[in-house]
Amino acid sequence: MRGVMGKYPSSDGNGGEVGGANGIIKTNRKCRDVVFLLFFIAFWIAMIVNSSFAFNQGNPLRLNFGLDYKGNVCGGKHKDFNLHELELKYYVNPNQVYQSGLKNSGAKLSNARTICLLDCPTPSEDSLNWVCDYPEGDIRISLDDWIDMNYDYYADLTPELRNSSLQLQGPCYPVIFPSVNVYWTCQFVDRPSNVSLTHWKQLNGVTIDDDMVIDKSIHNSINQRSSVLKRYVADVGKSWPVLIVCGGLLPLGLSLLWLLMIRHFVTAMPWVTVFFFNGLIISVTMFYYLKAGWIGNDAISPIIGEHDPYYHVSAREQHHIRAAAFLMTCVMIVAVLSSIAIVRRILMATSVLKVAAKVIGEVHALIIFPIVPYLILAVFYMFWLSAALNLFSSGQIVRNDCNTNCCAYDLKAKRVSCDDCCGYSIHYTPHIAASILFHLFGCYWATQFIIACSSTVIAGSVASYYWARGESSTTIPFLPVFSSMKLLMRYSLGSVAIGSLIVSFVESTRFILEAVRRRLKVADIMPENWIKRMLFYISRVCLKCIELTVKSVNRNAYIMIAITGKGFFKASEMATDLIISNILRIGRVNVIGDVILFLGKLCVSLASALFGFLMLDTHKYKSSHNKITSPLFPVLVCWGLGYVVATLFFAVVEMSIDTIILSYCQDAEEHQGTAHYAPPLLIETFDEQNEVQRIGQ
């Protein structure tokens, strides 16, 4: 036991660092890991530049709404036309849609002529309806009048323009097929109107193809992976009130309530946590069942607005919500069985939580301190989410380079033009993908950095309580929290930056490798040899173990940084030595307590997800403009935000336990196995563990 004593400062005053209430916490320190702090600052400058590019180039309307034949975004305000209310993209030429669905035709749907409308047009029951181009040139009517006329000014055209329209060259096009609003695109229904076709033939219009290909062509475009991802991102942006309430305010209130209950009802809290965890995970799973259509009649639908109840359209969002429901079922079963398995160990968790409750009762500011990093993260997330929406929608609108043999009447040029009939699309350069990845990594690093700073401040406050021999609250006021915060800001931000960077890097690497694995699995090029396959899965497990180990080492390193003021790597070494030499003692006392705290975080995050489902189930998010295509992403974001907020507040208990135990180990190392500064309750807890463990068995 004496082998590691020399690595730690003495608490008897000889080392000048740890003596009593005025010991190590107030020792003269120096700035540590300055290089990593400068790197973190440079990273933030790059984040600001990257976000500036997003705000300059992005337009979140592009995530949901398509482009018209002029390259304008439907639903937006433009130089020539105000399309604010015209959100639906409609393909005016059915033959172009048909040709784009044929194999080896060379035609692409992105080059088909589109226009922005207020609603999807339907064929007339006794005549022929038309959809005409935006009024310009000799068509001297306003855009509002054009809308009031149901986009039809065919009767006012000259014979020349009527003849051009009968050749499907515009400016007016016949409405032959009924259409439905599928994610703000009018998808043709392969049931052409016989009345409209008869009138069209009587006018000697060109032949219109009415094969079922016309239905599938638009459907495949809507279900492209890139289109689905854009809609998911747009869902998060449109549900910002839900994120504020369910991802911010609700977890704040629940976390504060949990801390107060730990303070006053510590014996009952492990049981309450396990009970609510099981109830919440079952409730969230049932909501996934509802949205998947497995129970009830509230399944998500890609069709917006009123439609034929016998007409159904499939979408990737439906498959994804069903996959999520199946996954939640598996998680629910494992979680419920695991929570039942630890019931016998709850007595051990209670004794550990009592120590944290004692600390919270003495250092009063610990309960309200997490509000500071909470507010910082709230401001950061609002900025980050706004930049993310613009970044995902950034890109340049360019005319396609096509070889399609098509012509359309140009109202401004007053002639049929065959030179510029190609459509428009949004061009994404490779650097945009890199910017998105950089932005996502920046979010994770910033989150880990704020959590690490909060944990270090809490550790410093609790350490001052421990080395003051657990004196009464009159000698431990709010000062330890502010003193610890001052030491962090002045000396240790670089150490926290490198610690949070390591966690972010390991987690990001694991995420990227997992994404590669899924792509290989989809492409069916996974290793066939069983040895290679086994090594592949072992590597995944090892990477996950490395991630968990790094997080654990980092957490204890933050404690040693708060206590000793050392740099990150030295503090990690010191913490690791202490843990290894006291592994049995720490593991026996701490593991079950960590499990209960983890379940508590899940309770808060699951409650956020549950209330997110409830808010998204209101009429506001089922209407045309604000419709959420799927609750999947908004609920996941609510869950993630709830977990981050819970982590900030639960760190008060978590870091209190870890700091007390690590300080106890250091104290015992320095005094030949007897901890001089340990509070009586902690000593009683360690003495009772063997008996509690025997009873639990």
Side-chain angles (χ1 to χ4, degrees), residues 106 145 171-172 211 215 252 256 300 308 312 350 354 357 397 403 426 445 453 485 495 501 503 529 532 569 631 647:
D145 292 336
C172 293
D211 191 85
D215 186 345
L252 171 64
L256 285 172
I300 62 173
D308 184 351
H312 299 281
T350 302
K354 285 181 179 179
I397 297 177
N403 298 319
I426 302 175
W445 188 8
C453 288
M485 192 185 307
S495 302
L501 174 61
V503 172
N529 186 290
K532 293 181 179 179
F569 296 105
T647 300

Side-chain angles (χ1 to χ4, degrees), residues 105-147:
S105 68
K108 295 183 179 180
L109 187 64
S110 59
N111 291 318
R113 193 173 183 85
T114 57
I115 195 170
C116 301
L117 303 180
L118 186 63
D119 49 16
C120 292
T122 56
S124 173
E125 296 180 356
D126 54 7
S127 62
L128 179 61
N129 289 341
W130 300 80
V131 171
C132 302
D133 289 345
Y134 302 130
E136 55 184 347
D138 291 339
I139 308 300
R140 303 185 184 281
I141 60 175
S142 67
L143 193 66
D144 290 337
D145 292 336
W146 174 72
I147 297 173

Side-chain angles (χ1 to χ4, degrees), residues 98-271:
Y98 172 80
Q99 292 168 5
S100 68
L102 297 177
K103 294 182 178 179
N104 304 321
S105 68
K108 295 183 179 180
L109 187 64
S110 59
N111 291 318
R113 193 173 183 85
T114 57
I115 195 170
C116 301
L117 303 180
L118 186 63
D119 49 16
C120 292
T122 56
S124 173
E125 296 180 356
D126 54 7
S127 62
L128 179 61
N129 289 341
W130 300 80
V131 171
C132 302
D133 289 345
Y134 302 130
E136 55 184 347
D138 291 339
I139 308 300
R140 303 185 184 281
I141 60 175
S142 67
L143 193 66
D144 290 337
D145 292 336
W146 174 72
I147 297 173
D148 293 337
M149 297 168 61
N150 288 326
Y151 330 110
D152 183 358
Y153 50 75
Y154 177 81
D156 300 328
L157 295 180
T158 63
E160 177 189 2
L161 295 183
R162 289 189 182 187
N163 182 63
S164 174
S165 298
L166 292 174
Q167 303 301 314
L168 290 181
Q169 295 179 350
C172 293
Y173 300 84
V175 179
I176 304 296
F177 295 89
S179 57
V180 293
N181 181 358
V182 179
Y183 295 141
W184 301 278
T185 296
C186 294
Q187 177 174 318
F188 289 147
V189 179
D190 183 29
R191 293 198 295 265
S193 169
N194 292 328
V195 174
S196 298
L197 274 177
T198 300
H199 281 85
W200 175 255
K201 291 177 181 178
Q202 290 175 352
L203 294 172
N204 296 321
V206 298
T207 302
I208 292 180
D209 301 302
D210 57 356
D211 191 85
M212 63 182 299
V213 172
I214 201 170
D215 186 345
K216 293 183 178 180
S217 183
I218 299 177
H219 179 263
N220 292 337
S221 174
I222 294 173
N223 272 331
Q224 288 180 345
R225 286 188 174 89
S226 58
S227 300
V228 175
L229 177 60
K230 289 179 181 179
R231 290 197 293 267
Y232 278 146
V233 175
D235 287 344
V236 176
K238 287 186 289 187
S239 59
W240 63 266
V242 179
L243 303 185
I244 292 176
V245 175
C246 300
L249 300 179
L250 179 64
L252 171 64
L254 292 178
S255 299
L256 285 172
L257 177 62
W258 197 89
L259 285 181
L260 291 174
M261 292 185 70
I262 276 288
R263 173 68 183 93
H264 298 287
F265 307 101
V266 63
T267 303
M269 279 309 295
W271 302 97

Side-chain angles (χ1 to χ4, degrees), residues 209-508:
D209 301 302
D210 57 356
D211 191 85
M212 63 182 299
V213 172
I214 201 170
D215 186 345
K216 293 183 178 180
S217 183
I218 299 177
H219 179 263
N220 292 337
S221 174
I222 294 173
N223 272 331
Q224 288 180 345
R225 286 188 174 89
S226 58
S227 300
V228 175
L229 177 60
K230 289 179 181 179
R231 290 197 293 267
Y232 278 146
V233 175
D235 287 344
V236 176
K238 287 186 289 187
S239 59
W240 63 266
V242 179
L243 303 185
I244 292 176
V245 175
C246 300
L249 300 179
L250 179 64
L252 171 64
L254 292 178
S255 299
L256 285 172
L257 177 62
W258 197 89
L259 285 181
L260 291 174
M261 292 185 70
I262 276 288
R263 173 68 183 93
H264 298 287
F265 307 101
V266 63
T267 303
M269 279 309 295
W271 302 97
V272 172
T273 301
V274 172
F275 174 79
F276 274 100
F277 169 73
N278 289 327
L280 286 168
I281 196 170
I282 293 173
S283 300
V284 171
T285 303
M286 291 302 103
F287 262 99
Y288 274 107
Y289 280 18
L290 282 171
K291 296 305 176 182
W294 293 348
I295 57 176
N297 298 310
D298 197 25
I300 62 173
S301 172
I303 301 178
I304 302 174
E306 297 181 358
H307 63 282
D308 184 351
Y310 297 101
Y311 181 75
H312 299 281
V313 178
S314 63
R316 287 182 182 271
E317 285 86 346
Q318 295 171 314
H319 302 311
H320 294 166
I321 201 74
R322 289 167 188 159
F326 176 78
L327 179 62
M328 281 300 300
T329 302
C330 299
V331 172
M332 178 189 68
I333 295 173
V334 173
V336 171
L337 293 178
S338 300
S339 64
I340 294 174
I342 67 168
V343 166
R344 297 174 60 191
R345 304 285 182 174
I346 284 191
L347 288 176
M348 189 180 298
T350 302
S351 62
V352 175
L353 293 176
K354 285 181 179 179
V355 178
K358 173 70 173 176
V359 177
I360 294 173
E362 295 293 342
V363 187
H364 306 294
L366 283 178
I367 291 182
I368 63 172
F369 163 72
I371 294 178
V372 175
Y374 167 85
L375 294 175
I376 295 174
L377 271 182
V379 173
F380 167 72
Y381 282 149
M382 286 188 287
F383 163 79
W384 183 89
L385 180 59
S386 179
L389 291 174
N390 283 276
L391 193 58
F392 272 92
S393 62
S394 60
Q396 187 177 4
I397 297 177
V398 296
R399 182 180 287 275
N400 298 329
D401 183 13
C402 66
N403 298 319
T404 306
N405 183 21
C406 65
C407 300
Y409 195 90
D410 189 332
L411 288 173
K412 282 189 174 181
K414 300 180 182 181
R415 63 181 179 86
V416 175
S417 173
C418 300
D419 299 329
D420 56 353
C421 64
C422 297
Y424 289 85
S425 61
I426 302 175
H427 177 63
Y428 296 97
T429 57
H431 81 273
I432 294 179
S435 297
I436 292 174
L437 292 176
F438 181 81
H439 197 67
L440 293 173
F441 180 80
C443 177
Y444 194 77
W445 188 8
T447 301
Q448 291 296 324
F449 178 80
I450 298 299
I451 292 175
C453 288
S454 177
S455 299
T456 305
V457 171
I458 294 171
S461 305
V462 176
S464 67
Y465 163 83
Y466 180 91
W467 296 104
R469 299 179 183 270
E471 295 176 6
S472 63
S473 58
T474 57
T475 58
I476 307 177
F478 278 59
L479 182 59
V481 173
F482 294 114
S483 177
S484 181
M485 192 185 307
K486 178 182 177 181
L487 290 175
L488 169 69
M489 297 292 292
R490 186 171 181 180
Y491 300 110
S492 302
L493 283 179
S495 302
V496 172
I498 181 58
S500 56
L501 174 61
I502 292 174
V503 172
S504 303
F505 179 78
V506 172
E507 179 70 12
S508 300

